Amino acid sequence: MKNKKAYLEAIRLLSLFFVLYTHTGNYGMHHYLETSNPLNFWFSQSLVLLSQTCVPLFFMISGAVLLHKESTFKEIWTKRVPRMVIVILLAGLFQYYFNFRLNPDIGFSVKMWLQLTYSGKVCTQHWFLYSYLAFLMILPFLQKLVKSLPEHWFLILLGMQVCIAGILPIVEYYIEYPGISLDIPLFTNCIFYTMLGYYIEHRSKDNFTNLKPLLFWLSGAFVAFLLNLHMQNISLKEHGSLIYNNLFTGLFSFGIFIWFRCAFTRIKLPQWLEKFLCFCGSGVFGTYLLDIPLRNFFEPVYITLNTKIFSYPALFVWLFVCMATGILFINILKLIPGIKKLL
């Protein structure tokens, strides 16, 4: 509790929900492809947009927690980086064994496990671990960088990202120009979103605790949300897929983060609820690593409920059961010496 903030743990839980949701296939993430219900169709497409914020929000939390500190290269390369490498290897071993159990013809090979883990192919959705490892490797650079920047530069960076990643593709579509290739390193997840998280938590002062600026930003995010839905529906009609499903992810992530921060600043939560959020938040990372087996094991929950209640309530119950089980299991597992530092 001493070093944790309840609003960050709440965002962490929301991010975990979105991670699980993005992997639900036609049950949820791609439900718009098979539903004839207009309400389900638009609700599904809306959740597609919101769920794209899962990884950005995780990185924003990391930026809020780590970028204000002073880390030495010795600390990073002797503690944080090796610890993350161990997590990647163990997560790869678990996924390799999980796939081996599902398909005995594969056979178990230490060399194959290491090769697949090294290349990230043992579980493609674990790409986040490699991106986070990259973030840790450059952490001292980023800590120096963000402290030297004027406050308004962070908003300029956000504005540039919204224009280049969001508005420009829409303009290119309507003027029928091919997309321009602008590879801006600052817009990568492990840099851009960690800087945003740091800015909101440590440099924005009271800009996002008062309702007036909050309503301004959320109104902009809502307009962008409607515009993104429009482009997403166009791509669905023309290509049969959602090409424009992450135009304004940066703005949506920013809006979610400042909304939670403002809400938790203005509303005093009971201490037991803060402790509960911190307890749940401490199991999020490990639950993310167990995403696939958790969803597979509890899939009968959705299949059973889907015949009795509406599809989305059944889906949400399924995901909440996965989250609750994973969080409880990970917190119990962390009682083992050495595990707590990894998870």
Side-chain angles (χ1 to χ4, degrees):
M1 281 288 293
K2 183 174 65 173
N3 298 320
K4 293 186 176 182
K5 294 190 175 181
Y7 93 93
L8 292 178
E9 302 308 312
I11 296 175
R12 206 186 301 271
L13 288 167
L14 178 65
S15 302
L16 175 63
F17 173 81
F18 283 153
V19 167
L20 267 63
Y21 180 79
T22 57
H23 302 138
T24 53
N26 289 345
Y27 291 164
M29 183 66 174
H30 305 300
H31 188 60
Y32 57 87
L33 292 173
E34 59 181 35
T35 182
S36 58
N37 185 318
L39 181 61
N40 278 1
F41 177 80
W42 289 110
F43 186 70
S44 175
Q45 290 216 42
S46 298
L47 279 181
V48 167
L49 293 183
L50 292 177
S51 64
Q52 302 305 305
T53 64
C54 58
V55 170
L57 289 174
F58 274 133
F59 275 116
M60 291 178 75
I61 294 170
S62 297
V65 172
L66 294 177
L67 287 189
H68 72 288
K69 299 180 179 180
E70 292 285 345
S71 301
T72 64
F73 281 103
K74 181 179 179 181
E75 176 191 354
I76 295 300
W77 285 90
T78 60
K79 294 181 180 180
R80 292 188 178 274
V81 168
R83 190 185 307 157
M84 198 64 213
V85 170
I86 292 173
V87 169
I88 291 174
L89 289 173
L90 292 178
L93 177 61
F94 176 79
Q95 289 297 333
Y96 185 78
Y97 180 73
F98 182 73
N99 293 331
F100 165 69
R101 289 292 300 273
L102 292 179
N103 187 359
D105 295 334
I106 296 177
F108 185 84
S109 164
V110 174
K111 181 180 178 181
M112 184 62 67
W113 155 52
L114 292 174
Q115 285 180 340
L116 291 176
T117 302
Y118 181 81
S119 64
K121 296 178 181 179
V122 68
C123 182
T124 55
Q125 72 183 57
H126 281 183
W127 67 267
F128 167 76
L129 299 178
Y130 299 83
S131 188
Y132 190 75
L133 176 62
F135 163 68
L136 292 177
M137 293 170 70
I138 62 171
L139 181 57
F141 290 103
L142 288 178
Q143 289 172 335
K144 296 289 186 183
L145 173 64
V146 295
K147 292 180 179 66
S148 66
L149 295 178
E151 293 173 14
H152 64 280
W153 280 34
F154 293 93
L155 294 179
I156 292 175
L157 183 64
L158 173 62
M160 289 176 60
Q161 198 270 350
V162 169
C163 290
I164 294 175
I167 296 176
L168 184 59
I170 297 175
V171 173
E172 290 169 345
Y173 171 80
Y174 279 104
I175 65 175
E176 298 181 350
Y177 268 46
I180 186 173
S181 178
L182 289 175
D183 186 14
I184 301 180
L186 282 178
F187 291 162
T188 57
N189 284 328
C190 65
I191 298 178
F192 174 70
Y193 290 110
T194 54
M195 291 176 66
L196 278 190
Y198 163 81
Y199 164 71
I200 295 171
E201 177 62 19
H202 299 286
R203 298 288 296 279
S204 63
K205 297 179 181 178
D206 296 328
N207 293 341
F208 305 120
T209 56
N210 298 322
L211 289 178
K212 190 173 181 180
L214 178 69
L215 290 175
F216 169 79
W217 283 101
L218 292 184
S219 298
F222 181 70
V223 172
F225 184 80
L226 295 178
L227 184 58
N228 208 153
L229 271 181
H230 170 68
M231 294 304 300
Q232 190 170 259
N233 198 40
I234 286 178
S235 70
L236 185 60
K237 292 179 179 178
E238 294 184 356
H239 306 283
S241 60
L242 301 184
I243 297 176
Y244 300 105
N245 65 342
N246 58 358
L247 294 178
F248 298 104
T249 301
L251 189 56
F252 301 154
S253 304
F254 188 81
I256 291 172
F257 209 92
I258 62 176
W259 185 89
F260 270 88
R261 186 170 186 265
C262 180
F264 278 71
T265 301
R266 300 176 69 88
I267 301 173
K268 181 63 178 178
L269 295 180
Q271 191 174 27
W272 68 267
L273 184 54
E274 289 192 359
K275 288 183 177 181
F276 177 74
L277 287 173
C278 291
F279 171 81
C280 292
S282 65
V284 163
F285 181 60
T287 304
Y288 157 76
L289 298 177
L290 297 176
D291 173 19
I292 296 176
L294 280 173
R295 281 186 293 105
N296 289 351
F297 184 80
F298 289 110
E299 187 176 1
V301 172
Y302 171 81
I303 295 174
T304 301
L305 291 179
N306 190 37
T307 60
K308 301 177 181 179
I309 59 178
F310 293 110
S311 57
Y312 272 107
L315 176 75
F316 293 156
V317 170
W318 173 34
L319 296 185
F320 285 135
V321 168
C322 292
M323 290 176 63
T325 304
I327 288 170
L328 183 60
F329 175 74
I330 292 300
N331 276 291
I332 294 174
L333 195 63
K334 290 170 75 172
L335 297 176
I336 302 174
I339 299 297
K340 184 175 182 179
K341 289 185 178 181
L342 293 177
L343 301 177

